[in-house]
């Protein structure tokens, strides 16, 4: 509630979402007015029908100008007033600012838990991270539904095709053994099934488990196909912005950071490929003796830090990509000048203005996957019972206690007038049993797989987009 009040009071005055767009570094191209186009085309507004006919305006037909007109667009810095007309600006501002608030809550909660070390309190940062993921998925779903509403374009077919592709890919990944991809799904699901069976037996119910392994993996595959479909166009758009940003960058350090930013999902994917990363670090080939460079807990912590640093790099390179997108207006005009024929003034103005009005859509496609990666990693750390320390302390083999209640709760009988207390005790016992079912071992496997899958989808779609814009478009 405190952070909700802070959001309500501070966001109207200090907003990271507005700062990323309106700090003055982004410049957008203004569409030419009708008078400017007339002057460039050497035409004047006629008062009679005869004059309008000779100027290219016949009855209700729009005024046209040559495509090879000598047109130079004027630029202007993005201001807060300009953002009023942007599509999806409220959604963009809410997602970014709420993510900042949730991250602050997470940092404060982690500091509190590291100092006070509470044992029976609910970690409120988990709820905030889940809300961030829910908002990010909702935004991506809303953007994807717009592609399905387009009748003439092929966006709908692209989403469906990539959805089926990622479904098949997920089914193939889920049958790979832990010797190659160390998610921990198998051990996590086995632990979940055993804990659920014990819980049901205590309740007097006979069951072989809440769900079979095949059903569990089928559900995961369907979820992965939906995530892949949502991340299709963000990945394709990122590839185009990456190529344009490279052409704009003049410094070597900027070009290097752009390349690292584009390959960041690949680095995240390789962190869970056991023969490539963990086996070489845990058992490096240093002659006859094998001396591990770090412990397994340290490797898990380093993996979390690498993902967070790569997410920070992607946020830092956001403006380069958005400016590359805004330059598409001038790029479209330059391409138009190479063509023969005429174009109506209205179509030309729409072609230029459309780029700026959809800036927040592109910003959401850039930010939403980043938010999903970041907060899935934070959930992995918290629910998976990892540590932020490079050399973490040794944890017990059972990080979650078997019972969240002291023994006195079971031994002492409730008072005569304590029906409410009995109900509270029963609810607390039920929640304790649920925590024994959903153990950190299950969350480690599930969240590791989801984090890896988001990065894999981003890299797959970006790589396809890079191939498409680099070769197929040119051809």
């Amino acid at each position: 509630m405190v952070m909700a009040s802070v959001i309500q009071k501070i966001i109207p005055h200090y907003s990271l979402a507005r700062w990323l767009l309106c700090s003055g570094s982004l410049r957008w191209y203004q569409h030419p007015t009708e008078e400017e186009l007339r002057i460039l085309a050497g035409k004047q507004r006629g008062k009679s029908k005869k004059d309008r006919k000779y100027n290219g305006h016949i009855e209700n037909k729009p005024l046209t100008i040559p495509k090879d007109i000598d047109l130079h667009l004027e630029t202007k810095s993005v201001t807060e007033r300009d953002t009023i007309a942007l599509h999806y600006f409220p959604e963009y501002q809410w997602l970014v600012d709420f993510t900042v608030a949730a991250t602050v809550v997470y940092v404060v909660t982690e500091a509190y838990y590291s100092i006070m070390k509470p044992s029976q309190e609910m970690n409120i940062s988990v709820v905030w991270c889940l809300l961030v993921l829910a908002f990010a998925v909702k935004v991506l779903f809303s953007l994807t539904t717009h592609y399905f509403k387009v009748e003439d374009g092929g966006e709908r077919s692209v989403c469906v095709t990539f959805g089926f592709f990622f479904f098949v890919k997920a089914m193939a990944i889920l049958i790979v053994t832990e010797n190659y991809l160390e998610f921990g799904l198998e051990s996590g699901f086995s632990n979940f099934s055993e804990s659920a069976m014990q819980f049901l037996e205590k309740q007097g119910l006979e069951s072989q488990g809440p769900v079979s392994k095949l059903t569990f993996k089928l559900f995961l595959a369907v979820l992965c196909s939906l995530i892949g479909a949502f991340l299709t166009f963000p990945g394709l758009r990122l590839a185009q912005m990456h190529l344009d940003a490279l052409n704009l960058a003049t410094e070597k350090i900027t070009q290097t950071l752009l390349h690292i930013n584009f390959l960041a999902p690949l680095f995240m994917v390789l962190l869970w490929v056991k023969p490539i990363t963990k086996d070489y670090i845990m058992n490096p080939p240093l002659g006859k003796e094998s001396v591990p460079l770090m412990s397994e807990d340290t490797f898990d912590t380093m993996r979390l830090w690498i993902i967070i640093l790569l997410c920070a790099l992607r946020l830092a390179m956001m403006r380069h990509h958005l400016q590359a997108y805004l330059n598409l207006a001038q790029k479209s005009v330059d391409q138009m000048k190479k063509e023969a024929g005429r174009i109506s003034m209205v179509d030309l103005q729409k072609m230029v203005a459309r780029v700026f009005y959809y800036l927040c859509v592109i910003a959401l496609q850039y930010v939403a996957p980043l938010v999903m990666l970041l907060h899935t990693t934070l959930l992995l750390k918290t629910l998976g019972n990892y540590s932020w320390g490079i050399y973490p302390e040794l944890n017990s083999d059972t990080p979650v206690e078997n019972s969240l209640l002291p023994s006195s709760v079971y031994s002492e009988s409730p008072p005569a007038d304590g029906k409410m207390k009995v109900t509270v005790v029963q609810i607390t016992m039920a929640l304790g049993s649920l925590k024994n079912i959903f153990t950190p071992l299950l969350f480690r496997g599930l969240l590791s797989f989801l984090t890896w899958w988001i990065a894999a989808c981003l890299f797959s779609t970006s790589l396809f987009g890079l191939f498409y814009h680099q070769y197929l478009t040119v051809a």
Side-chain angles (χ1 to χ4, degrees):
M1 293 300 294
V2 174
M3 183 53 66
S5 301
V6 170
I7 293 176
Q8 185 180 5
K9 299 295 183 181
I10 291 183
I11 283 182
H13 306 284
Y14 302 99
S15 171
L16 177 63
R18 286 202 307 269
W19 181 78
L20 289 173
L21 295 183
C22 308
S23 61
S25 59
L26 293 179
R27 302 189 67 85
W28 62 286
Y29 290 86
Q30 296 178 289
H31 65 81
T33 63
E34 186 176 343
E35 292 296 330
E36 293 174 349
L37 292 176
R38 277 200 177 92
I39 294 174
L40 291 174
K43 298 179 179 181
Q44 297 179 356
R45 181 186 296 272
K47 297 181 180 180
S48 62
K49 291 185 178 180
K50 184 178 179 180
D51 295 334
R52 292 198 297 269
K53 178 178 180 180
Y54 285 112
N55 285 336
H57 187 94
I58 303 176
E59 295 180 355
N60 294 328
K61 293 184 179 180
L63 182 64
T64 60
I65 58 175
K67 288 186 176 181
D68 58 351
I69 190 173
D70 187 17
L71 176 62
H72 298 282
L73 301 178
E74 297 182 358
T75 61
K76 178 185 176 184
S77 297
V78 180
T79 61
E80 294 186 13
R81 180 177 297 180
D82 297 330
T83 58
I84 298 176
L86 297 181
H87 299 288
Y88 279 89
F89 179 74
E91 290 83 353
Y92 160 76
Q93 184 178 11
W94 171 253
L95 179 62
V96 174
D97 292 337
F98 187 83
T99 301
V100 173
T103 306
V104 171
V105 170
Y106 184 88
V107 172
V108 173
T109 305
E110 287 295 304
Y112 169 74
Y113 270 72
S114 63
I115 297 174
M116 303 302 297
K117 300 186 185 303
S119 59
Q120 297 184 15
E121 294 184 10
M122 178 182 177
N123 196 328
I124 193 64
S125 63
V126 174
V127 179
W128 282 81
C129 291
L130 291 175
L131 286 175
V132 170
L133 291 176
F135 290 137
V137 171
K138 176 184 177 296
V139 166
L140 289 176
F141 174 76
S142 178
L143 294 177
T144 306
T145 54
H146 281 282
Y147 292 115
F148 277 82
K149 295 177 182 179
V150 178
E151 298 293 340
D152 299 332
E155 290 84 355
R156 182 188 308 174
S157 301
V158 172
C159 288
V160 173
T161 302
F162 271 91
F164 278 106
F165 166 74
F166 284 119
F167 177 77
V168 176
K169 181 179 178 180
M171 293 295 291
I173 293 297
L174 288 172
I175 64 175
V176 177
T177 62
E178 298 287 338
N179 294 328
Y180 298 98
L181 294 173
E182 51 147 2
F183 303 128
L185 271 177
E186 299 290 337
S187 57
F189 179 77
S190 300
N191 181 269
F192 167 72
S193 298
E194 293 176 0
S195 301
M197 289 176 61
Q198 294 177 2
F199 173 75
L200 294 175
E201 289 178 357
K202 290 181 179 179
Q203 304 299 321
L205 301 174
E206 295 183 1
S207 174
Q208 297 181 352
V211 66
S212 64
K213 184 182 294 187
L214 179 61
T215 306
F216 174 72
K217 290 189 174 182
L218 183 62
F219 171 77
L220 272 183
V222 173
L223 178 62
C224 290
S225 67
L226 292 176
I227 294 175
F230 292 161
L231 296 178
T232 296
F233 280 98
L236 297 177
R237 176 64 66 180
L238 177 64
Q240 183 181 11
M241 291 190 297
H242 172 70
L243 292 174
D244 295 337
L246 283 176
N247 294 330
L248 291 175
T250 56
E251 300 179 357
K252 292 293 183 181
I253 183 64
T254 304
Q255 295 178 353
T256 303
L257 292 177
L258 286 172
H259 285 300
I260 296 176
N261 178 60
F262 183 79
L263 296 175
L266 176 62
F267 298 149
M268 298 179 190
V269 168
L270 295 179
L271 290 175
W272 275 276
V273 181
K274 194 174 182 181
I276 297 179
T277 53
K278 191 171 185 177
D279 285 350
Y280 276 97
I281 294 177
M282 301 300 296
N283 300 303
L286 301 175
K288 296 182 180 180
E289 297 183 358
S290 178
V291 180
L293 298 180
M294 62 181 67
S295 64
E296 187 171 352
D297 292 337
T298 304
F299 176 78
D300 294 334
T301 302
M302 288 292 295
R303 182 160 51 193
L304 298 177
W305 277 114
I306 289 174
I307 295 175
I308 291 177
L309 291 177
L310 291 176
C311 290
L313 173 63
R314 175 150 294 197
L315 180 63
M317 305 306 294
M318 178 178 176
R319 288 178 180 172
H320 293 274
H321 290 82
L322 293 183
Q323 186 59 59
Y325 166 75
L326 290 174
N327 290 347
L328 287 179
Q330 184 63 51
K331 188 177 180 181
S332 301
V333 172
D334 294 339
Q335 181 64 30
M336 180 195 69
K337 293 179 181 179
K338 300 177 183 179
E339 301 174 358
R342 304 177 68 86
I343 185 174
S344 67
M345 289 186 179
V346 177
D347 292 340
L348 176 57
Q349 291 172 338
K350 287 182 179 179
M351 180 180 67
V352 176
R354 186 185 298 117
V355 175
F356 176 65
Y357 290 148
Y358 283 93
L359 174 62
C360 285
V361 176
I362 306 304
L364 279 173
Q365 290 180 338
Y366 188 91
V367 169
L370 166 64
V371 168
M372 292 176 65
L373 272 173
L374 175 62
H375 281 267
T376 307
T377 305
L378 298 182
L379 282 177
L380 173 61
K381 185 271 167 188
T382 301
L383 298 179
N385 199 30
Y386 286 118
S387 173
W388 289 120
I390 300 300
Y391 297 100
E393 299 179 357
L394 295 177
N395 296 327
S396 60
D397 296 334
T398 57
V400 177
E401 299 179 1
N402 293 330
S403 176
L404 296 179
L405 299 176
S407 58
S408 60
V409 172
Y410 299 99
S411 58
E412 295 180 2
S413 58
D417 57 343
K419 289 186 178 181
M420 183 65 70
K421 291 185 178 180
V422 171
T423 304
V424 171
V425 169
Q426 292 176 350
I427 294 176
T428 308
M429 292 173 58
L431 292 177
S433 301
L434 288 178
K435 285 193 174 183
N436 290 333
I437 296 174
F438 297 97
T439 60
L441 197 61
L442 171 65
F443 288 121
R444 285 187 181 187
L446 189 59
L447 293 173
S448 295
F449 174 74
L450 289 179
T451 305
W452 182 91
W453 180 256
I454 294 172
C457 290
L458 270 179
F459 182 71
S460 300
T461 53
S462 300
L463 191 63
F464 178 81
L466 188 67
F467 174 76
Y468 175 79
H469 294 293
Q470 190 74 19
Y471 301 103
L472 298 182
T473 305
V474 176

